[in-house]
Amino acid sequence: MLLSLLSIIGIAVSVYGVITETIPLGIIFVIALAVFLYTLFSLLNKGMRLTELGIGIFVVSLLLLMYTVCYLFLGIDVKATLGL
């Protein structure tokens, strides 16, 4: 239960950091990776099922992970590519 609450807070902080560009992308990458792995292991666990909120957190963390990987490791500026 506590890890789920921390995942929600981590995703909220990461989305805020991407929008306002106040949090370094390295920190957002680590948070998104941790949340993504937590939800992935929860999904693969036979005794647990993800709710709609869990699926939403999974998708948002995957998008944040892809955004940070594109920017940090591949050198692709997604915001400039999309014209934002």
Side-chain angles (χ1 to χ4, degrees):
M1 179 71 179
L2 182 64
L3 286 175
S4 300
L5 182 62
L6 287 175
S7 296
I8 294 170
I9 293 170
I11 290 297
V13 167
S14 297
V15 168
Y16 175 77
V18 166
I19 292 172
T20 61
E21 297 178 356
T22 55
I23 300 174
L25 285 178
I27 294 173
I28 294 173
F29 172 75
V30 170
I31 292 171
L33 183 63
V35 171
F36 176 76
L37 289 176
Y38 170 68
T39 54
L40 182 66
F41 290 142
S42 296
L43 181 66
L44 296 176
N45 189 2
K46 291 182 182 178
M48 287 184 87
R49 296 193 55 151
L50 290 179
T51 60
E52 286 116 15
L53 180 64
I55 293 169
I57 288 174
F58 182 73
V59 169
V60 171
S61 67
L62 180 63
L63 289 173
L64 284 170
L65 198 59
M66 288 188 314
Y67 174 77
T68 55
V69 165
C70 284
Y71 194 82
L72 292 174
F73 301 116
L74 300 177
I76 301 171
D77 190 8
V78 178
K79 287 185 179 179
T81 305
L82 296 175
L84 298 176

